Amino acid sequence: MADRYLHFTGTAPGRFLTRRLGLPQPAPLRRWSPGTPTLDGPLLHLTAGDSTVTEELSALLAATGLDVTERVERIERPERPERPAGIVLDATAVVTPGGLAGVHAALHPVVRSLAPGGRVVVLGVRPSADDHHQAAAQQALEGFVRSLGKEIGRGATVQLLRIDPEGVAGAESTLRFLLSPRSAYISGQVIELTAAAPAPVADWAAPLAGRTALVTGAARGIGASVASVLARDGARVICLDVPQTGDELARTADALGATALPLDITADDAAQRIAAAVPDGLDVLVHNAGITRDRRLANMPADRWASVLDVNLDSVLRTTDALLAAGTVHRGGRIVATASIAGIAGNNGQTNYAASKAGIIGLVRALAPRAAADHGVTVNAVAPGFIETKMTAAVPLLIREAGRRMNSLGQGGLPVDVAETTAWFAQPASTAVNGQVVRVCGQSLLGA
Ligand code: NAD
């Protein structure tokens, strides 16, 4: 079901009417397509305090090929009225609440001039467990970023990226992602990177060349989009879905030059059959298959509870454990699981679904450091919010409208937004991204 309201507010009468009535005015979001530049204008590199990573960060930003400037004056010169399309504010040196004044001083003069659909990435470090002044200052950045995300408007997004000052190079794939249209529906997120060194990238346009990826639940919806984006990025893709999806699965796989694997992921021998289908092993494993069987707890029979927990959580645990133990997932591999904002905020009628999705978050956080240490594999999760799919088209009109508008971007996301996030996790250059749960929800009002 198309978002007619979004189209209406994009017309002159629509803009006039919605402004007069004080209704939301969502800005159409720019997604990535071939030939799209990462940013449609200059990138401002600003610094609060005496950062120790300035030089390394400048070199990294220069390597992205973006038009980077560290001088605010340039955009204020009338002969160069270019608005910045992105701002990276290095706040890693902010170690006291007083130092936060530097954040205000850096962003206050430029935030209004940010181009529509612009990107703000604030760089911080992990709040210290030993220094409560540093912890206060760095945690303050989180509240700052989440508030700016809510007020900035015009399709712009704001994130906090906590880097390890020893591992600036590991931030490149994440900065490229967050500054680009690929992250159009992500805002108000806090992402924390480890110091792990990234694998070298031969071609940023095909980062998954030579890699094999398996996507569960890939016949349609978000999974089909994930398969398509991974194939676009160069991966050989295997699309797994239940045998009942027959033609739909075959059509999706054929269109991508992918292999169809009809298999119920809850089958006892699912991991063995996956391993048999990829004799040379796997680089990327995407657990996307998921079901809902909504009822309030008082009305929920045990079978509705059990099936949701089995598909959404147990099968993910079983296949992940078995494929890691068998060495099917290569070193340098990536596991991406699918949570949901329902698993963070909870949802009426979804005790089973929210429990399963919260379980995914627990799995990801606990397994990530061990999988990296023992297998050289990262484990992350996407947590989609309201995504325009057949599932959400079936939601009654008023609830659907509320779901669409109750986020900072005032609209639903698209399957491709979840797919781009998965593709960023999957990149060989994303070794430092581990144990993260990234919400693709336009900064939904539900949950953190
Ligand atoms: P969808 O129902 O369109 O697609 C899910 C796919 O998983 C289907 O093709 C289905 O056949 C497959 N599947 C179900 N059980 C399976 C099994 N036992 N083995 C193998 N495949 C199985 O759903 P979607 O909207 O594309 O959602 C994809 C994922 O994203 C799910 O995990 C869902 O919970 C999650 N999610 C979706 C939204 C949203 O707004 N659409 C929001 C949050 C989370």
Side-chain angles (χ1 to χ4, degrees):
M1 175 75 63
D3 185 347
R4 296 212 178 91
Y5 181 81
L6 177 63
H7 292 291
F8 177 61
T9 53
T11 63
R15 254 192 309 275
F16 173 78
L17 197 66
T18 49
R19 195 173 301 136
R20 289 300 287 267
L21 295 173
L23 293 171
Q25 294 190 299
L29 303 182
R30 197 169 67 100
R31 262 84 181 192
W32 188 87
S33 60
T36 315
T38 297
L39 281 177
D40 244 352
L43 172 70
L44 270 181
H45 171 190
L46 306 176
T47 309
D50 292 325
S51 170
T52 57
V53 301
T54 302
E55 268 179 39
E56 221 183 328
L57 184 61
S58 296
L60 186 155
L61 293 174
T64 61
L66 293 170
D67 172 14
V68 186
T69 176
E70 291 168 21
R71 286 163 299 131
V72 177
E73 301 83 62
R74 184 177 131 181
I75 58 156
E76 289 173 345
R77 289 210 320 248
E79 68 273 21
R80 291 286 311 257
E82 249 177 329
R83 306 169 116 201
I87 301 172
V88 170
L89 170 65
D90 175 1
T92 56
V94 174
V95 290
T96 61
L100 291 165
V103 173
H104 174 267
L107 288 178
H108 168 71
V110 293
V111 71
R112 192 175 283 132
S113 63
L114 187 71
R119 298 280 183 268
V120 179
V121 179
V122 176
L123 295 183
V125 291
R126 185 182 308 173
S128 162
D130 314 317
D131 177 351
H132 55 290
H133 291 248
Q134 186 270 8
Q138 285 295 322
Q139 191 67 32
L141 294 175
E142 189 169 324
F144 171 79
V145 157
R146 292 197 202 276
S147 296
L148 188 57
K150 290 185 177 183
E151 70 184 34
I152 197 162
R154 294 179 305 153
T157 64
V158 189
Q159 330 286 350
L160 174 59
L161 180 60
R162 291 188 177 134
I163 60 169
D164 187 309
E166 303 300 314
V168 173
E172 182 167 356
S173 68
T174 303
L175 277 168
R176 282 175 179 261
F177 173 66
L178 294 178
L179 292 171
S180 79
R182 297 174 201 254
S183 60
Y185 198 58
I186 299 179
S187 195
Q189 294 302 289
V190 180
I191 297 164
E192 197 166 299
L193 303 184
T194 69
V201 180
D203 180 1
W204 284 99
L208 298 178
R211 309 244 155 184
T212 302
L214 182 135
V215 184
T216 71
R220 64 173 196 221
I222 293 172
S225 185
V226 171
S228 158
V229 169
L230 297 182
R232 177 204 71 188
D233 283 358
R236 186 176 87 82
V237 177
I238 293 111
C239 297
L240 180 153
D241 212 304
V242 286
Q244 299 88 298
T245 52
D247 283 353
E248 200 177 14
L249 175 63
R251 270 198 308 275
T252 304
D254 283 354
L256 303 175
T259 307
L261 179 58
L263 175 64
D264 186 330
I265 198 69
T266 63
D268 289 340
D269 61 349
Q272 288 74 10
R273 290 178 56 193
I274 289 174
V278 287
D280 297 330
L282 265 183
D283 301 289
V284 181
L285 171 60
V286 183
H287 294 290
N288 162 80
I291 59 169
T292 51
R293 297 286 182 270
D294 297 355
R295 286 274 171 88
R296 290 198 176 151
L297 183 64
N299 302 323
M300 187 178 297
D303 63 329
R304 288 177 91 90
W305 176 273
S307 56
V308 167
L309 267 294
D310 199 20
V311 175
N312 297 3
L313 181 58
D314 282 342
S315 74
V316 176
L317 284 161
R318 280 196 303 270
T319 50
T320 298
D321 287 353
L323 293 171
L324 279 177
T328 305
V329 184
H330 294 149
R331 286 197 85 74
R334 307 279 181 252
I335 297 176
V336 183
T338 308
S340 163
I341 59 167
I344 297 168
N347 204 13
N348 186 349
Q350 291 200 315
T351 52
N352 51 355
Y353 182 77
S356 72
K357 295 301 188 179
I360 288 291
I361 295 173
L363 148 69
V364 163
R365 290 192 177 143
L367 180 60
R370 264 190 292 123
D374 299 348
H375 304 280
V377 169
T378 65
V379 187
N380 293 287
V382 280
F386 184 99
I387 305 295
E388 303 281 357
T389 59
K390 276 188 186 158
M391 186 177 101
T392 47
V395 171
L397 179 71
L398 283 180
I399 301 176
R400 187 167 69 231
E401 267 309 291
R404 276 175 173 155
R405 305 297 156 223
M406 280 170 59
N407 60 71
S408 297
L409 296 170
Q411 58 199 288
L414 302 180
V416 73
D417 297 321
V418 182
E420 295 283 13
T421 310
T422 304
W424 154 60
F425 285 143
Q427 285 191 21
S430 294
T431 316
V433 189
N434 196 23
Q436 301 302 294
V437 178
V438 175
R439 295 173 48 164
V440 185
C441 65
Q443 197 180 20
S444 165
L445 299 182
L446 298 178

